Amino acid sequence: MGEDQVAHVEVTREIARRFNHLYGREPQFEEKAERAVRNLGGRNSTLYRQLRRRFQETGDTEALASARALVHSNNRITVADRERLLGFLEGSHLSILPEPQVLLTASPRVPGLDGRKMSKSYGNTIGLREDPDAVAQKLRAMKTDPARARRTDPGDPEKCPVWDLHKIYSDEATRSWVNEGCRTAGIGCLDCKKPLIEKIVEEVRSFRRRAQEFEDNPELVRSIVAEGADKAREAARQTLDDVRRAMHLRAD
Ligand code: SF4
């Protein structure tokens, strides 16, 4: 996921929190949750308590994820206890709708050709299926650190959008070659872009090959979409069942 999507996840978290707050109330919740912790069994109970404390005291989301995994993997507890234990991790009510966590990709932001956010409306994009020669040309013309007006001017990669792409595409050796060469004017901007252009053009070629396979086989695309829709429908049905149960609505 890229950082653009974080706000959408936050809206979903807010809805889940609100719903759980309104419909997850249960008389004597804390006592029941404590009993559910004991039902996890000796070492698992201790581990659950440690992870819960870590999350509640320091906001450690890895501890939260581990505690959730611990609860889900335990087959000895009832469904009701599972919901109590999940809810007890974060508050004092049942967790009917889980709060999704943000999982960012290693490079949460891909810059556009001008260093701004990549966007069609800015005209600074590289298309996934664009002609490889056109992609190479766009990258050759890509903006760099304005301090490098001449080949002999040293620059600063941190002020250059090309460097952001190196962080995504280049290995450690290439990155240190860029860092050193840019700061000492040992390399020119076109030298710097060359390994990047090779990598990106190769990637675009492979996207095009892959896309062509699907274009040649629309039946395959339809079956992938249908399979995905079936999975989504089943997950939505289960969630709606949970929601109706919590709201005491009958599913007719
Ligand atoms: S050498 Fe590379 S990192 Fe430095 S300004 Fe030129 S393109 Fe950017």
Side-chain angles (χ1 to χ4, degrees):
M1 169 190 299
E3 41 181 45
D4 278 10
Q5 282 78 46
V6 171
H8 301 137
V9 177
E10 193 45 54
V11 170
T12 316
R13 289 169 56 80
E14 193 63 49
I15 293 170
R17 263 198 298 272
R18 186 89 186 115
F19 186 88
N20 291 338
H21 180 72
L22 288 173
Y23 294 103
R25 292 170 194 276
E26 184 183 36
Q28 283 106 41
F29 173 80
E30 303 236 339
E31 290 88 335
K32 288 178 185 169
E34 281 294 346
R35 210 161 36 234
V37 176
R38 287 194 295 278
N39 289 343
L40 280 172
R43 277 180 47 208
N44 284 341
S45 303
T46 310
L47 183 57
Y48 176 92
R49 286 187 207 286
Q50 286 167 347
L51 292 168
R52 177 172 179 262
R53 194 173 322 115
R54 252 171 62 200
F55 171 66
Q56 294 199 339
E57 289 178 1
T58 65
D60 180 345
T61 51
E62 274 183 28
L64 176 63
S66 304
R68 281 179 177 160
L70 178 75
V71 172
H72 282 296
S73 67
N74 193 304
N75 300 322
R76 297 170 45 180
I77 51 175
T78 62
V79 173
D81 271 356
R82 178 163 300 133
E83 286 181 357
R84 285 181 191 116
L85 289 167
L86 293 172
F88 197 41
L89 288 170
E90 294 179 87
S92 56
H93 44 69
L94 297 168
S95 173
I96 298 151
L97 299 179
E99 288 184 38
Q101 302 293 319
V102 170
L103 277 179
L104 291 176
T105 50
S107 309
R109 195 183 78 95
V110 178
L113 292 162
D114 55 4
R116 291 186 291 174
K117 169 186 157 183
M118 192 180 274
S119 159
K120 274 195 190 147
S121 53
Y122 293 155
N124 63 359
T125 56
I126 296 175
L128 297 180
R129 296 165 60 190
E130 210 167 325
D131 171 58
D133 290 340
V135 171
Q137 187 45 43
K138 279 183 172 179
L139 290 166
R140 273 193 286 272
M142 187 171 175
K143 287 194 174 164
T144 63
D145 176 5
R148 294 211 71 183
R150 285 178 299 269
R151 165 71 176 76
T152 48
D153 294 330
D156 178 356
E158 295 301 339
K159 295 180 180 153
C160 176
V162 177
W163 175 241
D164 287 329
L165 292 181
H166 272 297
K167 287 195 240 172
I168 298 169
Y169 286 96
S170 299
D171 56 24
E172 192 57 46
T174 309
R175 288 205 297 268
S176 64
W177 169 76
V178 169
N179 228 318
E180 164 80 12
C182 178
R183 291 177 196 281
T184 58
I187 58 171
C189 289
L190 273 178
D191 304 323
C192 172
K193 289 174 179 176
K194 199 160 170 275
L196 201 53
I197 292 173
E198 283 168 10
K199 281 271 170 56
I200 296 178
V201 164
E202 181 41 44
E203 187 174 62
V204 168
R205 285 211 172 94
S206 93
F207 287 153
R208 285 164 66 94
R209 279 195 296 273
R210 190 108 174 82
Q212 194 59 49
E213 287 169 27
F214 291 118
E215 258 179 31
D216 294 342
N217 193 350
E219 228 7 82
L220 172 65
V221 177
R222 278 190 208 102
S223 71
I224 292 171
V225 170
E227 204 177 304
D230 281 348
K231 280 189 192 159
R233 207 172 288 115
E234 177 54 21
R237 192 191 57 73
Q238 284 174 13
T239 303
L240 277 174
D241 282 352
D242 291 344
V243 165
R244 287 196 187 100
R245 190 159 32 87
M247 296 175 77
H248 304 292
L249 294 175
R250 277 185 48 211
D252 291 321

